[in-house]
Amino acid sequence: MVLLALGVVGALLLGLTEAALRVASASNPALARTLRSYDPLAVQIVPIGRLGYRQRPGTSLTYRNGATASANSLGYRGPEVSLAKPAGAVRIILLGGSTTHGWGVEDSATIDAHLREVLASRHPGMRFEVLNLALDGFDSNAIVERLRAEGVKYRPDIVIVNTGINDVRNVRIPNLQDPDERMLIWESVLRRLRAEDAAGGPSLWSRTKHMLMVARLPGVLRDATTNRQIQVARPTEKVHPEGIEIFTRNLHRIAAIADSAGAVLLLSTPPSSLRTKYKPADVSSISYWVVDAETTQQVRDTLAARLRGVADSMRLAGGRAGHVPHSLSDNLFFDDCHLTSPGNLQMAEDFASAIAAWLPKAP
């Protein structure tokens, strides 16, 4: 009888907590977003390849400024193309993180959207297809996997890799191995998704968390505690060089994949406003900062030098590669690295100029 009474009381408390969460979520968008992010069936990424991921086809990401990034039925941002490349078409693939995917801008204002227009204007007699296979959070590990698992299937003529922001977070990790799950920011989620796919569908616990907000609270509280611990630990951070060496190895892996696919490889470092919009001692809890603004920029500069070095060594060896420089004014940035629509247009114009050297010559 006592156990029955305790069970009734427990069920009542759970019910009241669930009702309170739903009422609070209805009037608090931030709380609603937080609880939704812990719904296992609302995850907007899916695994690809061995360690990679992409946006779930047909979903939309809403940024805090209200802009929306939509994924088509093939799992990337922008118009769909067929696997079979049309005769005479020049197919270009963009790879990178949120700065390439188009953080904070609408689908019509991304680098790839502007690049289609710029190329069509500069080369009216040619047909171009531009695929944006970048995604928020991608570091060089994720780029290798996306190119290997999906990019080469589209038979690209030109591969543009715009990277060097998210790999900064890897230099925060001591004694890094290659590969190392600590670099894979979504690996715990992807591991669950792979296991559920193999089992034929979501687990009972995943379905329970989907149905009940109260079942998501333990994860919310756990991660809130973890985040506080990370912020407290930031002053003791240092740069661990293993992350820089793994970045360089990944660039060579990307180069080998692009070469095997018969594609030109253009390497690019996303522009940074850390030196002009921030003070050297400024700090941030963002994962792709390390120590402070000055140290973060120094690491970005080192990664940029590695990008240029790989492009130069490929050219000297007879490979088809190049490095694309950028120079953008502060008013084209949302923050330290993400660009407004005019900023993405400038990037597209830079890429279009670099692409021109590799286009077929008119008869």
Side-chain angles (χ1 to χ4, degrees):
M1 199 68 176
V2 174
L3 290 177
L4 178 60
L6 289 174
V8 171
V9 172
L12 181 61
L13 288 174
L14 285 174
L16 290 173
T17 304
E18 179 70 18
L21 286 172
R22 291 187 178 275
V23 170
S25 296
S27 59
N28 188 329
L31 176 61
R33 285 194 300 271
T34 297
L35 289 171
R36 178 176 170 78
S37 69
Y38 286 84
D39 177 355
L41 302 193
V43 173
Q44 293 189 312
I45 59 172
V46 292
I48 59 168
R50 293 175 299 171
L51 298 170
Y53 65 97
R54 68 177 181 191
Q55 190 173 346
R56 186 180 293 278
T59 60
S60 295
L61 302 174
T62 301
Y63 297 111
R64 61 173 178 260
N65 65 356
T68 300
S70 303
N72 59 35
S73 66
L74 299 176
Y76 61 85
R77 196 173 191 181
E80 296 180 8
V81 303
S82 62
L83 278 178
K85 184 168 58 178
V90 177
R91 185 168 282 179
I92 301 162
I93 284 179
L94 288 177
L95 285 161
S98 55
T99 55
T100 314
H101 183 236
W103 186 95
V105 299
E106 300 292 344
D107 296 336
S108 60
T110 58
I111 294 174
D112 61 294
H114 287 304
L115 185 56
R116 291 184 201 97
E117 295 179 355
V118 173
L119 289 172
S121 175
R122 294 188 185 186
H123 310 279
M126 301 186 69
R127 176 176 179 177
F128 296 92
E129 294 182 337
V130 184
L131 287 71
N132 188 347
L133 300 188
L135 188 58
D136 304 354
F138 271 15
D139 63 359
S140 61
N141 299 285
I143 291 171
V144 169
E145 203 64 28
R146 187 96 198 246
L147 180 59
R148 176 172 26 219
E150 292 192 336
V152 294
K153 296 179 181 178
Y154 291 102
R155 296 174 54 207
D157 298 290
I158 298 171
V159 173
I160 300 175
V161 176
N162 184 49
T163 189
I165 299 295
N166 289 327
D167 278 80
V168 174
R169 70 174 180 250
N170 296 332
V171 308
R172 298 168 59 180
I173 306 172
N175 305 313
L176 203 60
Q177 304 299 308
D178 184 14
D180 194 314
E181 285 195 358
R182 291 175 295 171
M183 294 186 291
L184 309 175
I185 58 175
W186 294 112
E187 185 56 20
S188 61
V189 174
L190 296 173
R191 192 182 301 116
R192 174 182 64 79
L193 292 174
R194 292 189 186 100
E196 290 182 341
D197 286 345
S203 66
L204 177 60
W205 179 234
S206 290
R207 294 180 188 276
T208 300
K209 291 173 72 176
H210 171 65
M211 296 295 295
L212 299 175
M213 289 183 175
V214 69
R216 305 172 203 167
L217 280 181
V220 174
L221 296 174
R222 179 196 64 231
D223 289 349
T225 302
T226 301
N227 288 339
R228 283 199 296 270
Q229 291 172 348
I230 289 173
Q231 291 175 19
V232 169
R234 287 196 63 84
T236 64
E237 284 183 355
K238 59 182 292 187
V239 174
H240 300 277
E242 296 91 346
I244 295 170
E245 298 311 316
I246 291 174
F247 175 79
T248 308
R249 282 180 229 154
N250 281 332
L251 293 181
H252 286 290
R253 289 166 180 147
I254 291 166
I257 296 169
D259 184 63
S260 296
V264 174
L265 177 62
L266 298 178
L267 297 176
S268 158
T269 300
S272 173
S273 65
L274 282 177
R275 283 199 172 96
T276 53
K277 293 184 68 172
Y278 296 80
K279 297 177 182 178
D282 283 349
V283 297
S284 172
S285 60
I286 297 172
S287 65
Y288 52 81
W289 280 49
V290 58
V291 184
D292 52 27
E294 181 177 32
T295 307
T296 301
Q297 185 59 58
Q298 289 171 352
V299 176
R300 290 182 185 181
D301 291 343
T302 300
L303 298 179
R306 298 298 177 95
L307 279 158
R308 290 191 297 271
V310 170
D312 291 344
S313 65
M314 287 183 67
R315 278 200 310 274
L316 289 174
R320 300 194 302 159
H323 179 262
V324 186
H326 307 283
S327 179
L328 274 68
S329 58
D330 284 352
N331 65 306
L332 300 180
F333 289 84
F334 281 124
D335 49 30
D336 62 292
C337 60
H338 298 107
L339 300 174
T340 62
S341 178
N344 286 332
L345 173 58
Q346 180 61 63
M347 294 288 287
E349 291 175 342
D350 292 345
F351 287 139
S353 297
I355 288 167
W358 301 99
L359 295 179
K361 303 301 180 184

